[in-house]
Amino acid sequence: KRPTVNVMNQLLSIIVPVYNVEGYLRQCIESILSQSYRDIDLILVDDGSKDSSGAICDAYAEKDRRVRVIHKENGGVADTRNTGLRHAAGEYVTFVDSDDFLAPDAYRTHMENLQKTGAQISICGYYSYYHPQKMVPKRQDAFYAVLNSEQAIQMSTSFDYFGIAVWDKVFKKELFEGIEFPVGRLAEDWFVVYKLLDRAQKIVYDARPFYYYRQRPGSYTHDKLVSRDNMLASKEVLDFVTEHYPSIREDALFSYVFACVGVYDNLILYNKKDKAGRKQLYKIICKHYKRIVQKFRLSKSRRCQLMLLRYCPPLYTLAFHIFDKKRRKELQCAN
């Protein structure tokens, strides 16, 4: 049954946190302004950029009345997104990272899916974008599903569907009432998305890729700060799921364990002296290792990764250094 409100006539606020991205910003903005869905409210939040990013934002605002620019002191991604939310005029809201870009029909597809299903959240697929000759889709198929909150949270804990980012999703703005991104945290999406999925009565997921997630060195995702926020956020999700959706607790546990692996990897690279931290993470991973291996169909690479870490940490450390060196070379070649 179609919703009574015509979603296709609704204003969509698009919030873009901007910080020192002058080399990528024009492509990002152009991809938004050229969307086939025209009813957009583009909010560019300049987070105290020290390059020409702020001036680029102002230039687009002068050319297109759909563009608004907010200049603020540097406060990080979470604070910037919160600022954008406070100024969003649309019934629906989404986010774009300022070094990423979108396919021309991205938001038309989102809004059509919301219209067809009566969902409060629409999720699309994406490419991991290295360069025009190397774009890796999240999924190889055209998977499509209408989900309830439990199903959506379960999928968000998997490597196979969508994750905890906000940039591949369009939200009914009212879902954010009383919810903000935690200022000062990395992985700020992770602390928020599960709450929004829980609030939504219906979520539509269309795995076709419409978003280009740029892989580059020097981004927030690839910085050298060893943060435990991923682990803390996934533990928060695990605790929430244990209380509210106990039937998918093991899926949340899976996500928590691999978040711990991610922090362990960063300690190997950037804080070798924190042996106590690695030991603590190793204990968590070992505690749940058997259950994860038995319960889930892991890819060969994931299974080998977990097994090597569990039974031979020194060899794992060596192997991870080799893997990271290869990954950095790919990122450098891509940019």
Side-chain angles (χ1 to χ4, degrees):
K1 186 177 181 181
R2 288 181 179 272
T4 55
V5 175
N6 184 1
V7 173
M8 299 304 292
N9 292 334
Q10 298 297 305
L11 184 65
L12 171 64
S13 289
I14 303 167
I15 298 168
V16 182
V18 176
Y19 181 71
N20 291 354
V21 283
E22 60 185 5
Y24 306 99
L25 184 56
R26 289 183 178 87
Q27 184 182 22
C28 173
I29 295 174
E30 292 285 352
S31 76
I32 296 171
L33 296 179
S34 62
Q35 287 291 304
S36 58
Y37 190 84
R38 306 298 295 170
D39 295 326
I40 62 171
D41 165 41
L42 176 54
I43 305 171
L44 303 173
V45 187
D46 174 26
D47 192 31
S49 295
K50 298 176 182 177
D51 62 3
S52 64
S53 295
I56 293 171
C57 292
D58 291 336
Y60 276 99
E62 290 179 5
K63 292 190 296 184
D64 195 314
R65 60 182 179 80
R66 298 174 299 168
V67 181
R68 291 187 285 153
V69 182
I70 300 169
H71 297 283
K72 59 182 284 296
E73 293 184 1
N74 182 259
V77 177
D79 182 58
T80 304
R81 286 176 172 164
N82 290 336
T83 299
L85 277 171
R86 287 192 289 271
H87 288 82
E91 291 290 326
Y92 292 84
V93 65
T94 188
F95 303 84
V96 179
D97 285 355
S98 53
D99 53 352
D100 298 339
F101 58 99
L102 302 106
D105 289 329
Y107 292 131
R108 176 169 293 279
T109 302
H110 274 295
M111 302 305 279
E112 286 176 347
N113 285 340
L114 289 168
Q115 178 71 36
K116 285 187 295 185
T117 63
Q120 292 83 42
I121 298 175
S122 171
I123 306 172
C124 74
Y126 65 90
Y127 290 104
S128 290
Y129 179 87
Y130 294 85
H131 51 75
Q133 287 73 46
K134 186 176 181 182
M135 298 183 293
V136 183
K138 177 63 176 176
R139 290 184 65 90
Q140 298 289 341
D141 59 8
F143 184 89
Y144 182 95
V146 180
L147 312 166
N148 60 30
S149 296
E150 182 174 10
Q151 292 167 330
I153 292 173
Q154 182 180 29
M155 283 189 174
S156 74
T157 63
S158 166
F159 295 125
D160 298 327
Y161 299 95
F162 53 89
I164 47 76
V166 290
W167 40 252
D168 59 348
K169 302 171 180 69
V170 170
F171 306 89
K172 193 76 179 293
K173 185 190 171 187
E174 64 188 23
L175 295 174
F176 277 94
E177 186 175 345
I179 294 177
E180 289 191 337
F181 294 94
V183 176
R185 296 284 195 186
L186 298 180
E188 68 284 343
D189 307 47
W190 210 329
F191 288 96
V192 166
V193 166
Y194 79 91
K195 298 175 184 176
L196 301 172
L197 295 175
D198 174 62
R199 281 190 175 182
Q201 297 175 352
K202 192 181 290 185
I203 301 98
V204 57
Y205 171 47
D206 186 340
R208 292 178 296 166
F210 292 99
Y211 189 97
Y212 294 82
Y213 173 40
R214 191 185 301 272
Q215 305 297 303
R216 67 179 181 92
S219 68
Y220 283 106
T221 308
H222 298 105
D223 66 23
K224 294 185 178 181
L225 178 64
V226 178
S227 169
R228 288 172 169 77
D229 286 347
N230 282 356
M231 182 181 70
L232 295 174
S234 61
K235 182 60 166 62
E236 186 176 293
V237 174
L238 175 59
D239 293 341
F240 178 84
V241 164
T242 300
E243 180 178 355
H244 297 280
Y245 302 105
S247 65
I248 62 169
R249 183 185 183 279
E250 288 189 333
D251 297 273
L253 178 63
F254 171 89
S255 181
Y256 173 59
V257 168
F258 275 98
C260 291
V261 172
V263 176
Y264 187 97
D265 291 344
N266 281 334
L267 288 177
I268 288 174
L269 293 175
Y270 306 125
N271 197 347
K272 298 176 183 178
K273 295 181 179 180
D274 189 2
K275 295 181 180 179
R278 275 197 285 173
K279 186 176 180 180
Q280 179 190 24
L281 291 163
Y282 180 73
K283 286 182 178 179
I284 295 172
I285 295 164
C286 289
K287 178 181 178 181
H288 302 294
Y289 168 81
K290 187 175 181 179
R291 188 59 184 152
I292 296 297
V293 170
Q294 289 178 343
K295 168 71 176 178
F296 295 96
R297 291 178 56 189
L298 300 175
S299 65
K300 288 183 179 179
S301 60
R302 288 288 181 186
R303 184 175 291 271
C304 288
Q305 177 190 23
L306 212 55
M307 186 178 298
L308 194 60
L309 175 53
R310 167 66 179 85
Y311 292 109
C312 192
L315 185 57
Y316 177 86
T317 298
L318 177 62
F320 185 74
H321 275 294
I322 295 171
F323 165 79
D324 183 69
K325 186 176 181 180
K326 179 182 177 182
R327 179 179 60 179
R328 289 177 182 279
K329 187 176 181 180
E330 288 179 346
L331 289 173
Q332 289 171 352
C333 292
N335 292 274

